[in-house]
Amino acid sequence: MPISGKDREFMEQVATYFRGTKSLLEPDGSIRETSLRFNINRNKVRKILITMGEIESPLTETVLAMRKRGMTVKEIAKNLGISVATVSTALPYEDKMDNTLEPSEHAVLVREYRAYEKKQLKRQAGRVQTKKDPQDIKMSYTETCHRPRMDTWEEMDEIHETLEAELKEDDQEKEREIFLALRTGQFPGALNDRNTGALEKIAGSRLPPEPEGVLRLHMELFDEYAADMINDGDAEVLRKYGKLEHGRSISRDVIVPEDIPLYALHYMIQRAFGWQNSHLRQFELPEKRFLSLTSHNVSMWRRLVGVLFRSPLMDEADEFWADDYNGGSFKNWLRRKYTGPYLSQCHGEGILSCQKDMMDLDMDEDYYVMYSRAYNHVSGKYDGEEYVSEVLPVRDYKGKKRPEPKPWHGEKVPCRVEVVKLGKVPSDGLRFMFDRNPMALLERLPINSVLAAGKFFLPEDGPKEERRYVDQQISGSGDEVYARAEKYIKSIINRQVDAPDLQVPTSPVTDELLYNYDFGDNWKIRITASRNCVDLVESGRITQAELDRANVKCREVYRPVLIARDGEMLVDDVGGIHGFTEFLQQVNPELKGMDPEEKEAAKRQKKEYLEWARSLGWHREKVSDFNLL
């Protein structure tokens, strides 16, 4: 197809501008300046100039001669020992240009993001002149197409004026105030919906365009075997000795950039709770949510590996790609990990890598699946809910058939065994099949691609009708998650480029995220999110002014900010939540009523416990919440 009139006209504009860049300093003209003028890359400018006869190249003459002999671009590249891209760049346009006048959706987003970067550079340049210690200019690698658009403060002010003009005097005063407050981000506890103009008054200048939004995360320690977060005895000890004042368990409330990925969130949690990053960890979904998302079968889980879940066959070097601490300040090292911009370098979480791992699974292989009944303490019988208690390949590695597994609870335990294909194995049986947890989430995923945030309240708080989410509703099934990511998956497979920054985005799949640290001590933290902090402001734990200050800091330094802390810092290798409460009792002995020998023994034991804890990095953190992270 011949070059269109519009494309020809555009190419002439490029050539004319290029001729105008010729000077004594640059007698051959400036391709760089031309590319900036028209916002297209330099290779495309070079190709246009070759087409218009403005520049010549020995390579172009060679390639054109080979093309006249009927050789394809791939054949020319192979013959000359150069890349296909280099050959293509050396050739003039023969037909329609590559989306120059009619750019693709992706090209438009890229151009918009480059414009964002230029604005930030200009803003930062103005601020650097007034600072003694200028900070590095930081850009976000997060794709703009995965973020919701937010109104600018000018648009919000315009909305405010319009609404004021339209509302009638006989409208109910309270309804009018609420409506205006919500639309203009001026209600108590406003965070991500906050009026940007109010924030820029604090900042003293325009806020940087990245991160575009922030979220409030509530992270609370829990005991999976307790009915209400933790048992009454542990809660009482924490209130008495562990600085617990507001809740039932140790918790942290943090403002984070909404694009913070899970791997960076891990390092932030380590700092916020006082651990030393000395054990394994993972992020996972609550079990019921995992089962419903995977439709209770291995086949659906397999489709979501690389999209939502990590491959349990991942190489160890990939799993610990970011754990590169080699000395120096541990706190500063952690801080660098959770400061944006964020870009995962975990190649093991790529679509192609995970897909290769999943291809190694024979979905037609036969497995024994044993189901047991939970023990009912009320009836004294095994008549509770049925669950998978064992999954075992029917044949061993030599191909020999194994005998059918027997109940390990004893002969009286109700149990049944089925032989099913791997693809039909219930997904709660995956835990028996791999050394690593197959339910662990990909850590390259941004928090807003996994966790849905309550509009005003945390998901478990507030009236049920107020539990609204930022974007679309939570993806109900694995099919929905895969369908939204399918075009990205196909693109990666077609290009066979598995770079970490080109991976598949997802939409929120849960309103509750679990973090598990140290599988021996089995620390577990429940994470929920909200777009605003109404409850914290209304309860008096933080003022709107303090919240605004933290909001501005998070956006300016591109780093999480702690806004509320409840409970003591934790310590590694103490035995989990129960061991920690015992530790608190030991370092706070009740000396009243003891004889002198007992007092001396208690004091000696307290000293030994404190020395041991300090050797593991534990101390009572005196830094303010605002400056902790």
Side-chain angles (χ1 to χ4, degrees), residues 194-204 207 548 551-552 555:
R194 183 62 165 143
N195 181 283
T196 313
L199 298 181
E200 289 181 343
K201 288 179 182 178
I202 298 173
L207 290 171
D548 286 347
N551 195 340
V552 169
R555 294 170 187 271

Side-chain angles (χ1 to χ4, degrees), residues 311 318 347-358 498:
S311 166
D318 285 323
H347 291 268
E349 290 189 339
I351 286 290
L352 299 182
S353 176
C354 290
Q355 192 176 65
K356 182 178 179 297
D357 286 346
M358 293 300 99
D498 213 20

Side-chain angles (χ1 to χ4, degrees), residues 167-391:
L167 287 170
K168 299 177 181 178
E169 292 183 3
D170 58 354
D171 287 336
Q172 295 183 15
E173 185 69 24
K174 185 176 181 180
E175 289 185 3
R176 181 169 68 250
E177 289 180 0
I178 292 174
F179 186 53
L180 288 173
L182 296 181
R183 291 299 300 273
T184 59
Q186 295 175 333
F187 57 92
L191 176 66
N192 204 46
D193 293 323
R194 183 62 165 143
N195 181 283
T196 313
L199 298 181
E200 289 181 343
K201 288 179 182 178
I202 298 173
S205 63
R206 288 298 177 96
L207 290 171
E210 305 295 338
E212 187 170 311
V214 297
L215 291 177
R216 174 267 189 103
L217 299 185
H218 177 74
M219 306 179 293
E220 188 162 2
L221 192 68
F222 76 97
D223 177 2
E224 61 183 329
Y225 303 109
D228 187 12
M229 299 301 289
I230 61 174
N231 63 48
D232 293 337
D234 288 337
E236 183 179 351
V237 172
L238 291 176
R239 281 192 289 268
K240 191 172 184 179
Y241 303 121
K243 299 183 179 179
L244 190 68
E245 300 178 5
H246 303 282
R248 184 173 175 80
S249 183
I250 293 174
S251 67
R252 306 287 187 261
D253 286 270
V254 184
I255 296 174
V256 301
E258 66 177 2
D259 63 341
I260 186 171
L262 298 188
Y263 79 83
L265 187 62
H266 152 70
Y267 294 107
M268 186 209 72
I269 292 173
Q270 291 288 303
R271 177 69 181 118
F273 283 86
W275 290 312
Q276 301 297 302
N277 193 43
S278 54
H279 297 280
L280 299 176
R281 88 288 177 154
Q282 64 193 15
F283 289 92
E284 57 186 348
L285 304 176
E287 186 173 14
K288 288 184 178 179
R289 184 68 189 118
F290 172 78
L291 294 176
S292 64
L293 198 64
T294 56
S295 302
H296 293 261
N297 69 77
V298 168
S299 290
M300 179 53 71
W301 165 81
R302 184 194 187 205
R303 293 183 73 194
L304 296 177
V305 170
V307 178
L308 187 60
F309 302 110
R310 277 185 156 187
S311 166
L313 305 176
M314 181 191 295
D315 184 83
E316 189 175 279
D318 285 323
E319 186 174 2
F320 300 105
W321 69 273
D323 287 344
D324 54 2
Y325 177 68
N326 289 314
S329 171
F330 178 67
K331 293 178 183 177
N332 288 343
W333 177 79
L334 285 177
R335 179 172 288 180
R336 287 194 296 271
K337 294 296 180 181
Y338 55 73
T339 298
Y342 306 106
L343 180 62
S344 170
Q345 293 292 344
C346 183
H347 291 268
E349 290 189 339
I351 286 290
L352 299 182
S353 176
C354 290
Q355 192 176 65
K356 182 178 179 297
D357 286 346
M358 293 300 99
M359 292 298 290
D360 291 338
L361 301 180
D362 183 0
M363 303 306 282
D364 290 324
E365 184 179 358
D366 290 327
Y367 276 75
Y368 290 120
V369 179
M370 185 163 74
Y371 297 87
S372 295
R373 291 279 183 182
Y375 184 76
N376 188 323
H377 291 276
V378 176
S379 65
K381 299 178 181 180
Y382 289 96
D383 60 0
E385 186 177 348
E386 188 178 68
Y387 64 95
V388 176
S389 58
E390 175 118 35
V391 176

Side-chain angles (χ1 to χ4, degrees), residues 482-541:
Y482 190 85
R484 290 194 178 101
E486 191 170 12
K487 66 176 181 179
Y488 298 98
I489 296 172
K490 289 181 178 178
S491 175
I492 289 173
I493 292 173
N494 291 336
R495 288 181 294 168
Q496 288 293 296
V497 178
D498 213 20
D501 59 332
L502 299 177
Q503 295 306 308
V504 178
T506 64
S507 54
V509 295
T510 182
D511 59 3
E512 179 181 328
L513 180 64
L514 305 182
Y515 171 80
N516 188 192
Y517 172 66
D518 186 351
F519 304 153
D521 281 4
N522 199 32
W523 295 102
K524 287 205 169 183
I525 290 175
R526 179 173 176 267
I527 306 172
T528 51
S530 173
R531 290 184 62 183
N532 299 294
C533 302
V534 176
D535 55 324
L536 292 178
V537 173
E538 287 185 346
S539 65
R541 292 186 63 185

